[in-house]
DNA sequence: TAGGCCATCTGGTCCT
DNA sequence: AGGACCAGATGGCCTA
């Protein structure tokens, strides 16, 4: 998404006032020589003869550097701004990556209707409960695999047992099969992996988007 | 119009 | 030193 801030940054970067000096400070040009002035690691004459010699050399080569003052503080500001702009770009990228990962997560979560988009927090909560439900499925499948079919619930253990909210084995912070982690049981007949268009499913998918009390993971 | 959600900016902190 | 990560602030968009 292109927003005004990006426009501002680009405008700043493309500023027509950019000079060769600015390019130096922004790292776009290599330094002309190994540093004069107070840069760290720069040459500091330790004796006056050397200093005088250097002064003569300096005067031969070119006029003395402009005095450090307001101009320099302008440059410092520019450097800071440049770093800020770069950091902003990185941060934007990072958040885009995070959102991509969230989108990937949304893709593997069943939703009803199918094109409904979960919010970020809903996605995380739903994924949390979804994983828990699938784990329970496996656990109960293990437990019940030895039982004769006649002892299994008619609708299958998945619906009647595993998805019954508030079971003792539910995750510590989640007691309901929903993205909202509501402690109040309200969804008990949903097959998580492939929700169908039954009335109860629709009720479920519509209701999970509603705000609830104790709405945290 | 208030509230929710989101993207972005920003400064601080931690890590390599 | 520079990048990653984080949390707070801000403003835009949308919906009830």
């Amino acid at each position: 998404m292109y927003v005004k801030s990006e426009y501002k940054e680009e405008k700043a970067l493309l500023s027509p006032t950019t000079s060769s000096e600015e390019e130096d400070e922004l790292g776009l040009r290599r330094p002309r020589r190994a540093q004069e002035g107070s840069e760290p690691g720069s040459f500091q004459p330790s004796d006056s003869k050397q200093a005088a010699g250097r002064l003569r050399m300096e005067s031969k080569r070119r006029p003395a550097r402009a005095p450090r003052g307001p101009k320099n503080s302008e440059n410092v500001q520019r450097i800071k701004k440049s770093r800020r702009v770069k950091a902003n770009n990185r941060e934007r990228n990072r958040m885009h990556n995070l959102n991509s990962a969230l989108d990937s997560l949304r893709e593997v979560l069943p939703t009803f209707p199918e094109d409904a988009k979960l919010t970020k927090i809903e996605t995380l909560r739903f994924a949390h409960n979804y994983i828990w439900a699938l784990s329970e499925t496996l656990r109960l499948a293990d437990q019940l695999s030895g039982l004769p079919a006649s002892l299994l619930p008619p609708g299958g253990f998945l619906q009647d047992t595993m998805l019954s909210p508030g079971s003792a084995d539910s995750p510590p912070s989640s007691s309901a099969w929903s993205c909202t982690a509501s402690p109040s049981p309200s969804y008990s007949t949903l097959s998580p992996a492939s929700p169908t268009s039954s009335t109860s499913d629709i009720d479920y998918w519509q209701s999970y988007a509603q705000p609830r009390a104790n709405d945290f993971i």
Side-chain angles (χ1 to χ4, degrees):
Chain A
M1 182 187 293
Y2 192 87
V3 292
K4 67 178 190 322
S5 52
E6 286 175 332
Y7 169 73
K8 273 196 301 187
E9 290 174 2
E10 285 175 10
K11 199 175 171 188
L13 284 173
L14 297 176
S15 164
T17 64
T18 302
S19 64
S20 59
E21 242 184 49
E22 288 171 7
E23 285 174 0
D24 276 353
E25 274 131 20
L26 298 180
L28 301 176
R29 285 159 57 96
R30 300 181 63 80
R32 274 185 288 272
R33 62 191 175 90
Q35 284 329 307
E36 55 236 31
S38 60
E39 310 289 338
S42 67
F43 177 76
Q44 300 287 343
S46 57
D47 100 23
S48 57
K49 274 187 182 177
Q50 279 184 346
R54 276 180 59 79
L55 270 177
R56 277 196 300 277
M57 292 295 286
E58 288 284 344
S59 62
K60 257 189 177 180
R61 284 176 190 156
R62 60 171 193 165
R65 186 191 174 102
R68 312 180 82 81
K71 175 85 175 180
N72 185 60
S73 77
E74 266 181 39
N75 292 337
V76 169
Q77 290 304 313
R78 280 199 204 93
I79 293 171
K80 282 184 179 175
K81 185 171 185 178
S82 159
R83 286 178 184 161
R84 219 331 98 195
V85 167
K86 281 201 280 185
N88 288 348
N89 285 331
R90 284 194 305 272
E91 177 66 8
R92 213 178 302 128
N93 257 337
R94 198 179 69 85
M95 296 310 293
H96 287 171
N97 287 338
L98 191 60
N99 288 338
S100 297
L102 218 40
D103 284 339
S104 302
L105 184 57
R106 282 189 187 103
E107 281 176 16
V108 299
L109 292 176
T111 59
F112 186 88
E114 279 200 16
D115 58 347
K117 186 183 179 185
L118 299 176
T119 66
K120 292 181 174 182
I121 188 70
E122 283 170 349
T123 302
L124 293 176
R125 285 175 177 149
F126 194 8
H128 175 257
N129 293 344
Y130 190 36
I131 291 169
W132 168 78
L134 293 178
S135 306
E136 287 294 282
T137 302
L138 293 177
R139 190 178 66 79
L140 288 169
D142 270 356
Q143 279 184 6
L144 300 175
S145 60
L147 294 179
S150 59
L151 294 181
L152 296 178
F157 67 86
L158 180 77
Q159 293 179 349
D160 284 358
T161 309
M162 195 279 296
L163 289 179
S164 175
S167 88
D169 290 323
S170 61
S173 54
S174 163
S175 58
W177 168 237
S178 80
C179 63
T180 54
S182 165
S184 59
S186 48
Y187 324 117
S188 59
T189 58
L190 173 70
S191 169
S194 55
T196 62
S197 302
S198 73
T199 307
S200 59
D201 290 353
I202 294 175
D203 287 346
Y204 162 67
W205 288 110
Q206 286 177 343
S207 63
Y208 78 64
Q210 303 301 315
R212 297 170 215 285
N214 305 322
D215 193 13
F216 37 74
I217 291 179

